[in-house]
Amino acid sequence: MSRTDVTACAAVTAAPAQRAVLTAQAWLRIPSAAPGVIRVRPLPGEATASYSQRLADTYQLTLTQLLDGAGITLTGHGTPPTAELRLSPAASHHIAALARIPLPHLTHALSRLAPNDAHHTAAAAHWKRLEAEQQPVRACTLCSRHRSHGATDTTWVHRPPHCLVCPRHHQAAPDPRLASPIHTRAVPELAAAHHAHQRLLQHPRASTAWTAARAITTRWYDHQQHPDLTHRWHTRLNQLCAINPHLTTTGSASPALLARDLITYPETVALARTLAVLPNRPHRTTNGALTLIAHRLNLDHLTPNANDPLRVFLTHTRR
C-alpha cells in the first residue's frame, strides 16, 4: 500500500473533514512524510511497536501497510510485548507527521522511541527482541480505547511501578504474560495504595525506599515468612481470581506469581513510605522501627528473625 493509499483511506475514516488537513508547512518541515488526518495520542511509557500498531488500527490498516504507506522500510518480524520496533530518525519524523503529534512530545511519551543512529538518513524500522524483564505490560483497556478513537483496546506500556494501577478504571497489569488486565474494583485498597504511592514520590528518598521495600515484600511473599501477611495476601489473591478468571487459565505461570506485585502492592507502598522517613544511620536496636512498621502494615507485631531482609536492612544496609 502506497502513501497515497494511506491518505485516501484516512480521508474516508476521519471526520469531520476539517481535521483531515495537514498544512503545507508541515510537509516542508518533514519531507516525504505521509500526511496524517487523525490525531492519535500516545500513552505515557507506551512501547513504540504498540503505538505504531494503534496508529495502524485507527486507519484500519495492518502495521506493514501503515509503515509502507508512510514510506518506512520494515525489516524482521515481531509482535509486542516480546519485541520492540526500532525507528530511524527519519522514520520517527514520518510517524509523528502521520500521528499529528509533534516529535518532541512523541519522544517524551514513547520511552524507547529515541533513535540510536542519528546518521541513519533512510526511513527504516526493524524489530528487536526483548528479554522478559524488558517487556512491556498491557495498559488499561478503557484508556487505550479512548486514545485510539475506539479502534482498539490493546496498548503495551513500559509502566513505572508508581503507575501499576489505573485508579480511574480499576485495572492493573503487573505481568506481560497476562492476556488482559486484571480488574481491581473488588480490592479497593489497591487504588488507595496508588494514591499513597503518588505522595511517596514527593520524598527525596522515594526511589531507594521503594526498591528496598519491594525486595523485602517479595521475599516475604515468596517464602511466606509472616503468617498474618501471608493470610492477607492469600485472601487478596482469591478476591482477584474470583473476578478475573483469566488469571487461572493463562497457563504460563501460576496466579500467585502473575499477580504477585499487585497482591503485595499496598504493603510495599506502606513499607516504602515508612523506610523513606526513618533515620539513615543503622542501629543495633531496631525495636522502635519495627513497631512503627508493624503499625503501618496493620499488624499487631513484627518480629523478623536475624536473616529477615527487613532486619538486615534496618541493622546493616541503611546509609
Side-chain angles (χ1 to χ4, degrees):
M1 178 171 286
S2 67
R3 183 180 305 118
T4 303
D5 296 327
V6 173
T7 306
C9 179
V12 173
T13 305
Q18 285 79 1
R19 72 174 186 175
V21 178
L22 190 72
T23 64
Q25 288 81 357
W27 273 100
L28 293 174
R29 288 196 302 270
I30 310 171
S32 301
V37 297
I38 304 175
R39 187 170 186 265
V40 179
R41 292 186 298 156
L43 270 70
E46 187 170 359
T48 305
S50 170
Y51 180 73
S52 301
Q53 182 61 62
R54 283 203 303 117
L55 191 58
D57 291 338
T58 303
Y59 284 109
Q60 301 180 14
L61 300 171
T62 66
L63 179 59
T64 302
Q65 289 172 337
L66 179 90
L67 295 179
D68 181 62
I72 300 172
T73 302
L74 175 64
T75 57
H77 301 278
T79 55
T82 58
E84 178 61 298
L85 197 62
R86 302 293 189 182
L87 302 181
S88 69
S92 299
H93 277 283
H94 288 204
I95 290 295
L98 186 59
R100 296 183 61 201
I101 301 291
L103 184 58
H105 296 176
L106 198 60
T107 303
H108 178 74
L110 308 184
S111 57
R112 309 299 173 91
L113 177 62
N116 298 325
D117 185 4
H119 300 290
H120 199 304
T121 56
H126 70 275
W127 286 102
K128 178 178 176 59
R129 185 168 181 81
L130 299 176
E131 300 297 330
E133 63 275 9
Q134 299 174 315
Q135 293 177 12
V137 298
R138 286 184 182 269
C140 170
T141 57
L142 296 179
C143 290
S144 300
R145 183 164 289 278
H146 176 68
R147 295 204 180 191
S148 305
H149 301 275
T152 180
D153 59 9
T154 301
T155 300
W156 296 92
V157 295
H158 298 279
R159 172 176 290 147
H162 62 272
C163 291
L164 182 67
V165 176
C166 174
R168 180 180 181 183
H169 300 123
H170 302 281
Q171 292 188 20
D175 193 289
R177 290 170 290 188
L178 288 167
S180 58
I182 297 175
H183 296 279
T184 63
R185 191 178 296 275
V187 191
E189 61 265 33
L190 295 176
H194 170 84
H195 293 302
H197 203 161
Q198 310 315 301
R199 295 193 295 272
L200 169 65
L201 296 178
Q202 300 173 15
H203 196 282
R205 292 164 57 190
S207 179
T208 54
W210 171 260
T211 300
R214 184 173 181 271
I216 292 168
T217 56
T218 298
R219 172 73 176 273
W220 287 351
Y221 181 89
D222 289 344
H223 293 267
Q224 302 184 21
Q225 290 184 242
H226 298 281
D228 289 341
L229 287 176
T230 298
H231 176 73
R232 184 188 303 172
W233 289 334
H234 184 70
T235 300
R236 196 173 290 156
L237 174 61
N238 288 339
Q239 291 173 323
L240 291 173
C241 287
I243 60 174
N244 296 278
H246 64 283
L247 267 176
T248 60
T249 58
T250 299
S252 58
S254 68
L257 181 59
L258 291 170
R260 178 177 60 189
D261 285 350
L262 192 60
I263 292 167
T264 61
Y265 186 51
E267 288 71 30
T268 303
V269 173
L271 179 57
R273 294 186 69 192
T274 308
L275 297 182
V277 299
L278 289 178
N280 284 335
R281 185 169 57 88
H283 295 283
R284 294 185 179 276
T285 302
T286 61
N287 292 340
L290 289 173
T291 300
L292 176 61
I293 291 170
H295 174 72
R296 295 288 179 85
L297 296 178
N298 293 317
L299 298 172
D300 292 333
H301 62 276
L302 188 61
T303 55
N305 60 41
N307 296 322
D308 188 285
L310 176 60
R311 188 175 290 278
V312 171
F313 177 83
L314 294 175
T315 58
H316 301 293
T317 307
R318 284 184 291 155
R319 292 291 184 269

